[in-house]
């Protein structure tokens, strides 16, 4: 309590400098809180998009997994129904969706160009109930169930100049390597993110006909309960233990190569942003505490002569710095949290051009923040830790002052 009273008194001695330091902490922590809430929201959208498109766990044949970049259509699951029934009966599984994904050439009319797209064939339960693509239709309607229908991603539609109601040419191949053309009618155009916008969608049976896999699929997408992305790895481990699945490759969405490359980058951005803000705030605290030590050298010497220990001198300056950190950091967390909440409700429109430039990356044009109590607590702790780090060297310097030398300096 004595240290707290002395620290508060010392902080008021040069109120202008103290307020400037607290303001630096306030600005740094508010920006950090707001920025991290934005990045958290982006990461959540990215992970959710990958999990929905990939499945929490994806089941393919081992041969398909070994040569996936070549899209070996022959390495399919010939009869998917028994595996769907087996996996659906496992605890923690809420849905199992047979899916066919295959690269195709697209054209309006009969002239084949070089416009490629990824065809996705699945049951409406995947497209509508899980991915909610029917809510992202920007022109026309979603698949009605009629024969020879297709829904195009917005970017594909722009690339080939297709409009709702037009018949397009979809040139794929069967599992045996023969050309497999289709002429579906565009019933709708959908736009959600960079990945969705570069794909085209049709019923599973139509896609099965194209690749000539009457009863099977190229992959089974497995979804866990509540569709939380965190269930993926435990679910993959659980399913991998089933004897019937020993000859198959099971991977969670987090093992996708795009995710493996992206998550470390985003973690690095988080760490770099926090480190930069912390560096600026440490300098501010260091400057304030150093000046405080220089101004009170004589006072420190008197206190040391009266019996104050070195540890007590260190504690005095640390308490002063922590007090500034609590005030500046607490205010910064509140303001940054309000900004993060606004971002969570309103979102930030990054522009459709950026989505188009992202290619097949699941980047949406509107990014929503994700402010949580845990994030605000972490930023508040960051402010206090930063204050301690910035004050530790001046505090040690104060503790090393000789009482006799300090009193002779009359400072």
């Amino acid at each position: 309590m004595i240290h707290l009273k002395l620290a508060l008194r010392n902080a008021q001695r040069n109120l202008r400098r103290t307020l400037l330091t607290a303001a630096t902490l306030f600005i740094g922590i508010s920006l950090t809180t707001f920025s991290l809430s934005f990045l958290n929201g982006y990461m959540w959208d990215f992970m959710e998009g990958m999990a929905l498109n990939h499945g929490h766990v994806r089941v393919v044949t081992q041969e398909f997994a070994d040569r996936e970049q070549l899209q070996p259509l022959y390495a399919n699951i010939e009869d998917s129904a028994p595996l769907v029934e087996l996996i659906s009966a496992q605890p923690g599984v809420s849905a199992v969706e047979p899916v066919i994904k295959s690269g195709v050439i697209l054209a309006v009319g009969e002239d084949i160009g070089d416009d490629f797209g990824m065809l996705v064939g699945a049951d409406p339960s995947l497209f509508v109930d899980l991915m909610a693509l029917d809510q992202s239709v920007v022109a026309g309607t979603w698949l009605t169930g009629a024969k020879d229908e297709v829904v195009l991603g917005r970017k594909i539609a722009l690339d080939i100049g297709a409009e709702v109601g037009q018949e397009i040419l979809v040139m794929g191949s069967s599992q045996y390597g023969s050309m497999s053309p289709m002429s579906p009618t565009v019933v709708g155009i959908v736009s959600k993110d960079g990945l969705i916008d570069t794909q085209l969608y049709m019923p599973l049976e139509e896609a099965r006909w194209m690749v000539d896999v009457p009863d099977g699929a190229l992959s089974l997408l497995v979804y866990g309960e509540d569709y939380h992305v965190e269930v993926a790895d435990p679910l993959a481990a659980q399913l991998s233990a089933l004897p019937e699945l020993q000859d198959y490759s099971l991977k969670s969405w987090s093992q996708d190569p795009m995710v493996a490359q992206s998550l470390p980058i985003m973690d690095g951005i988080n760490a770099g942003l926090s480190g930069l803000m912390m560096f600026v705030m440490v300098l501010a605290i260091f400057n304030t505490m150093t000046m405080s030590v220089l101004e009170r050298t004589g006072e420190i010497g008197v206190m040391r002569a009266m019996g104050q220990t070195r540890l007590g001198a260190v504690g005095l300056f640390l308490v002063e710095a922590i007090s500034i950190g609590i005030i500046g950091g607490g205010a910064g967390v509140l303001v940054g949290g309000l900004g993060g909440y606004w971002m969570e409700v309103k979102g930030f429109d990054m522009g459709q051009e950026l989505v188009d430039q992202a290619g097949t990356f699941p980047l949406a044009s509107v990014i929503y923040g994700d402010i949580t109590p845990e994030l605000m607590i972490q930023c508040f702790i960051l402010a206090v830790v930063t204050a301690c780090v910035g004050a530790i060297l001046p505090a040690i310097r104060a503790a090393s002052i000789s009482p006799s030398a300090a009193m002779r300096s009359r400072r």
Side-chain angles (χ1 to χ4, degrees):
M1 184 60 69
I2 295 177
H3 276 76
L4 179 59
K5 290 181 179 180
L6 287 173
L8 294 177
R9 185 204 66 180
N10 293 334
Q12 296 175 25
R13 283 185 168 183
N14 194 324
L15 189 58
R16 183 178 180 181
R17 188 170 61 217
T18 299
L19 291 177
L20 181 61
T21 305
T24 303
L25 283 169
F26 164 76
I27 294 172
I29 291 299
S30 60
L31 288 176
T32 301
T33 304
F34 177 79
S35 300
L36 291 182
S37 69
F38 175 81
L39 290 174
N40 282 355
Y42 168 74
M43 283 303 299
W44 176 257
D45 286 345
F46 168 74
M47 292 188 296
E48 187 178 53
M50 290 301 300
L52 287 174
N53 279 276
H54 182 283
H56 288 142
V57 179
R58 190 190 66 163
V59 181
V60 298
T61 64
Q62 189 60 57
E63 185 176 8
F64 184 90
D66 293 340
R67 308 187 65 187
E68 184 171 355
Q69 292 184 342
L70 300 177
Q71 289 192 336
L73 301 179
Y74 57 85
N76 57 73
I77 302 172
E78 293 185 6
D79 187 4
S80 59
L83 286 182
V84 170
E85 182 179 358
L86 169 70
I87 298 173
S88 298
Q90 303 306 310
V93 174
S94 61
V96 183
E97 300 291 344
V99 174
I100 288 179
K101 290 187 177 182
S102 178
V104 294
I105 301 175
L106 302 167
V108 174
E110 298 181 355
D111 295 332
I112 299 178
D114 57 357
D115 293 309
F116 293 87
M118 179 63 70
L119 182 144
V120 182
D123 287 328
S125 56
L126 174 62
F127 292 143
V128 176
D129 298 341
L130 295 177
M131 300 178 67
L133 292 184
D134 58 322
Q135 300 177 23
S136 301
V137 174
V138 295
T141 64
W142 186 247
L143 298 170
T144 65
K147 188 174 176 59
D148 296 330
E149 289 184 339
V150 67
V151 170
L152 300 181
R154 188 195 61 84
K155 191 170 187 305
I156 284 183
L158 288 176
D159 289 344
I160 66 174
E163 298 179 355
V164 173
Q166 280 187 316
E167 185 179 277
I168 65 172
L169 174 64
V170 179
M171 183 65 72
S173 63
S174 71
Q175 65 166 313
Y176 304 107
S178 59
M179 301 300 293
S180 184
M182 301 178 67
S183 299
T185 299
V186 178
V187 297
I189 297 174
V190 66
S191 180
K192 188 174 183 180
D193 59 43
L195 180 59
I196 297 298
D197 290 7
T198 56
Q199 298 181 151
L200 60 153
Y201 308 88
M202 64 173 52
L204 178 62
E205 294 306 319
E206 300 286 335
R208 279 174 167 171
W209 180 88
M210 188 188 73
V211 299
D212 199 9
V213 182
D215 302 310
L218 292 180
S219 62
L220 300 181
L221 305 188
V222 184
Y223 296 88
E225 292 179 344
D226 300 324
Y227 305 108
H228 290 163
V229 295
E230 295 87 355
V231 306
D233 290 335
L235 185 59
Q238 172 191 333
L239 297 178
S240 296
L242 294 175
E244 296 88 345
L245 298 179
Q246 295 303 304
D247 295 332
Y248 293 87
S249 173
L250 285 78
K251 290 184 178 180
S252 69
W253 69 269
S254 60
Q255 295 173 299
D256 184 275
M258 183 182 295
V259 178
Q261 295 174 4
S262 301
L263 289 183
I265 294 175
M266 295 309 301
D267 289 340
I269 292 175
N270 279 351
L273 176 64
S274 300
L276 177 61
M277 293 298 181
M278 187 174 182
F279 176 74
V280 173
M281 293 183 290
V282 163
L283 287 181
I285 289 288
F286 178 81
N287 177 68
T288 297
M289 293 297 103
T290 299
M291 294 302 296
S292 182
V293 170
L294 291 175
E295 291 174 355
R296 304 206 306 269
T297 300
E299 178 184 329
I300 295 169
V302 171
M303 296 176 66
R304 290 291 314 281
M306 295 176 64
Q308 186 183 55
T309 63
R310 291 180 181 272
L311 185 59
V314 170
L316 179 63
F317 285 91
L318 284 181
V319 170
E320 182 178 345
I322 290 172
S323 301
I324 297 174
I326 290 174
I327 295 172
V333 166
L334 290 177
V335 173
L338 288 174
Y341 177 74
W342 179 87
M343 180 71 69
E344 188 172 342
V345 174
K346 298 293 184 179
F348 177 72
D349 191 349
M350 303 183 67
Q352 194 63 53
E353 292 184 2
L354 182 61
V355 176
D356 293 342
Q357 294 173 2
T360 59
F361 198 78
L363 175 66
S365 60
V366 179
I367 302 296
Y368 292 90
D370 183 25
I371 188 70
T372 63
E374 292 80 5
L375 175 61
M376 296 179 71
I377 292 173
Q378 290 172 4
C379 290
F380 180 74
I381 293 174
L382 176 64
V384 176
V385 171
T386 298
C388 291
V389 171
I392 190 66
L393 289 179
I396 293 175
R397 179 177 179 178
S400 64
I401 293 175
S402 169
S404 58
M407 287 185 288
R408 281 199 302 271
S409 68
R410 298 182 180 179
R411 299 171 66 180

